[in-house]
């Protein structure tokens, strides 16, 4: 027969992937990055979230070409109305409690997500759902669909994940060796009661997943991925440590940020980058102490001074800018820069002039700093951050502690800040840390290129979900 053309058929993809992110910036960004990575393997990805948070994730995405974005199917669902208060800095509860109404509202994604899964499960041989560990209840209906598999995405470190689970065993099921730190703050101490309650409800809905994905590299904390696997005692569950998944394209939508031009003029390793992420609120007094500490330390700096995100960043009221001490800008103008909008963190950390990062130790920030070989001045605020700080300072030895989390309700004085900055930026000890950070960064970056540990696990994950 002539109909040769009729035989040339491109097989439609038989597996679809659905992402269900938790609506806070760090979490949104991680699953959006993972979506990109999965589309690069040729699989269709559906990103299911509220319209406002999908928009936020796209707007703040860094480093991927817009072409790549067009390959992801965004499903903009409506949340029931929720209150959207401004952050209220209170050092006794450093957690962003103003986001709780949003977190509660996001549990209503259960119904639209179930509908989406149902539709896709008719069209595809297999539907793979990857959901944030914090939204397990939203995806619980997936277990009814026979061709759907779910994977828990762990947006925090394996170290914290392990110790958190470990702390819940009154009698330890096995021994861990003596090198492990003795004192890791548990999440129970670092989270308000209401959010712990939220977490506990989510945890109840875990159990039917086929496996776990970690945004970490075995090069950094392979030991703790293994320990966690051992603790779960579920041999049929698969564990993939696929991180860090940073984009390599580094496309810059808005041209070079002014701070990068400034960095170009600074000496190697001479600048400390300061940022506390999108959920930290500091009191005015604390901001003043930080400003004075920076001034005393005589170090060069880029300081990102932003208010914490609200639940819906597109509808909140105008926020008053944080006030710096009078005449401050003038006094530090040759040494530092205060950035009040979104800063290109990866590019700053990757710049040769950047020699340190003062950070709240959110997992994204830790990993970005580690993979780019920059040592950390750890100032943990809440949630997993105090435990990450232990990993960074005691286990990996690539950072100093600004202050211990147990003192979080107290004002950190400019003197304390000054001495932490000098330790990191201008001491022999800091130099050693920088050297270790450089080596670790090299190893982490090698793990994500072809043949590296993390890349092999990503490949293994894709082969696993597309298996015949
Ligand atoms: C969130 O939900 C929990 C449990 O349903 C409830 O007790 C709490 O008051 C809610 N919090 C907010 C801020 O809406
Ligand atoms: C993993 O973490 C890195 C570093 O924080 C982050 O930039 C990236 O978006 C994350 N990727 C995924 C897939 O979670």
């Amino acid at each position: 027969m002539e109909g040769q053309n009729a035989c040339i058929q491109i097989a439609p993809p038989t597996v679809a992937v659905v992402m269900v992110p938790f609506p806070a910036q760090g979490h949104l960004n991680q699953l959006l990055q993972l979506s990109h990575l999965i589309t690069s393997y040729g699989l269709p990805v559906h990103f299911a979230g509220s319209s406002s948070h999908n928009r936020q994730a796209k707007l703040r995405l860094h480093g991927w070409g817009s072409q790549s974005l067009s390959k992801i199917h965004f499903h903009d669902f409506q949340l029931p109305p929720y209150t959207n208060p401004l952050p209220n800095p209170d050092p006794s509860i450093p957690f962003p409690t103003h986001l709780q109404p949003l977190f509660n509202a996001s549990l209503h994604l259960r119904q639209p997500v179930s509908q989406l899964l149902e539709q896709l499960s008719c069209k595809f041989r297999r539907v793979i759902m990857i959901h944030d560990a914090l939204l397990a209840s939203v995806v619980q209906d997936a277990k009814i669909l026979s061709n759907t598999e779910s994977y828990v995405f762990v947006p925090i470190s394996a170290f914290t994940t392990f110790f958190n689970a470990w702390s819940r065993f009154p009698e330890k099921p096995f021994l861990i060796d003596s090198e492990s730190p003795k004192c890791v703050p548990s999440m129970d101490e670092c989270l308000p009661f209401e959010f712990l309650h939220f977490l506990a409800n989510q945890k109840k809905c875990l159990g039917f997943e086929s496996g776990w994905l970690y945004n970490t590299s075995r090069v950094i904390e392979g030991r703790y991925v293994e320990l966690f696997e051992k603790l779960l005692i579920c041999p049929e569950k698969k564990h993939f440590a696929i991180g860090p998944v940073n984009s390599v394209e580094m496309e810059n939508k808005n041209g070079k940020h002014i701070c990068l031009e400034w960095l170009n003029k600074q000496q190697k390793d001479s600048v400390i980058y300061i940022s506390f992420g999108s959920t930290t609120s500091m009191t005015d007094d604390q901001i003043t102490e930080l400003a004075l500490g920076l001034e005393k330390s005589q170090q060069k700096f880029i300081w990102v001074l932003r208010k914490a995100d609200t639940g819906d960043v597109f509808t909140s009221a105008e926020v008053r800018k944080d006030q710096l001490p009078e005449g401050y800008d003038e006094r530090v103008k040759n040494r530092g820069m205060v950035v009040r909008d979104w800063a290109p963190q990866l590019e700053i950390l990757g710049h040769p002039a950047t020699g340190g990062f003062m950070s709240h130790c959110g997992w994204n920030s830790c990993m970005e700093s580690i993979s780019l070989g920059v040592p950390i001045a750890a100032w943990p605020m809440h949630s997993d951050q105090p435990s990450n700080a232990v990993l960074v300072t005691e286990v990996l030895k690539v950072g100093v502690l600004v202050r211990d989390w147990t003192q979080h309700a107290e004002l950190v004085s400019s003197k304390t800040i000054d001495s932490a900055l000098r330790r990191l930026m201008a001491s022999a000890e800091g130099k050693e840390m920088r050297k270790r950070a450089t080596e670790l960064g090299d190893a982490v970056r090698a793990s994500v290129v072809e043949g590296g540990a993390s890349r092999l696990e990503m490949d293994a994950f894709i082969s696993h979900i597309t298996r015949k």
Side-chain angles (χ1 to χ4, degrees), residues 119-401:
Q119 286 162 12
L120 294 172
S121 77
C122 302
K123 284 200 224 150
F124 291 89
R125 179 165 62 82
R126 183 180 293 134
V127 179
I128 299 297
M129 193 184 42
I130 302 177
H131 68 88
D132 196 294
L134 298 184
L135 280 189
S137 77
V138 166
V139 302
Q140 58 186 303
D141 302 322
K143 58 176 176 276
I144 318 168
L145 302 166
S146 60
N147 62 344
T148 299
E149 277 174 19
S150 84
Y151 291 83
V152 183
F153 181 81
V154 182
I156 61 175
S157 68
F159 177 85
T160 298
T161 307
F162 168 71
F163 276 107
N164 200 33
W166 185 250
S167 70
R168 301 225 153 78
F169 283 82
E171 275 171 49
K172 306 301 175 200
F174 50 85
L175 287 172
I176 45 177
D177 62 54
S178 53
E179 289 157 43
S180 292
K182 297 283 160 304
C183 221
V184 182
S186 87
M187 295 263 237
D188 297 4
E189 305 163 43
C190 314
L191 287 170
F193 176 76
E194 193 174 347
F195 191 71
L196 280 171
H197 182 70
F198 179 95
L199 277 186
N201 281 335
Q202 297 309 306
K203 244 177 90 194
K204 280 186 211 147
C205 298
L206 290 176
F208 71 97
E209 70 277 1
S210 306
W212 294 63
L213 290 169
Y214 305 85
N215 189 4
T216 190
S217 166
R218 290 197 192 250
V219 171
I220 308 176
E221 41 166 16
R223 221 176 97 64
Y224 297 99
V225 177
E226 282 162 27
L227 283 171
F228 185 60
E229 261 186 84
K230 190 165 165 190
L231 198 60
L232 283 185
I233 0 174
C234 272
E236 72 279 10
K237 297 202 170 158
K238 304 234 175 258
H239 298 258
F240 301 93
I242 56 168
V245 191
N246 291 325
S247 141
V248 274
E249 291 173 50
M250 283 280 191
E251 176 214 51
N252 204 322
K253 293 182 221 152
N254 314 313
K256 281 263 170 273
H257 194 280
I258 177 165
C259 71
L260 296 170
E261 280 160 32
W262 182 77
L263 272 178
N264 284 340
K265 297 188 211 117
Q266 311 306 323
Q267 282 178 358
K268 186 169 182 327
D269 293 335
S270 68
V271 176
I272 179 143
Y273 169 60
I274 299 157
S275 170
F276 298 101
S278 54
T279 61
T280 300
S281 303
M282 276 186 176
T283 60
D284 293 347
D285 287 350
Q286 188 59 78
I287 289 170
T288 302
E289 289 302 312
L290 177 51
L292 297 177
L294 269 170
E295 193 176 4
K296 274 189 200 156
S297 77
Q298 301 279 317
Q299 301 303 312
K300 299 216 161 172
F301 65 86
I302 292 177
W303 178 9
V304 182
L305 182 56
R306 290 175 71 247
K307 291 282 189 201
D309 279 347
T310 57
D312 185 336
V313 296
F314 300 105
T315 62
S316 36
E318 190 67 42
V319 185
R320 183 181 61 83
K321 279 189 177 167
D322 289 304
Q323 293 300 308
L324 291 171
E326 201 162 316
Y328 188 76
D329 290 333
E330 191 55 30
R331 294 203 302 270
V332 299
K333 76 164 185 267
N334 295 320
R335 262 196 307 113
M337 242 184 124
V338 180
V339 176
R340 289 178 178 277
D341 53 16
W342 203 247
Q345 177 156 305
L346 275 174
E347 285 158 278
I348 295 174
L349 289 172
H351 197 286
T354 305
F357 182 9
M358 179 178 270
S359 168
H360 63 311
C361 290
W363 185 233
N364 282 323
S365 288
C366 289
M367 263 233 293
E368 289 173 2
S369 205
I370 292 168
S371 18
L372 293 165
V374 178
I376 297 173
W379 185 339
M381 303 289 174
H382 61 82
S383 309
D384 56 325
Q385 299 157 14
S387 157
N388 294 343
V390 174
L391 173 67
V392 164
T393 58
E394 287 181 41
V395 179
L396 303 173
K397 299 190 170 61
V398 293
V400 302
L401 208 54

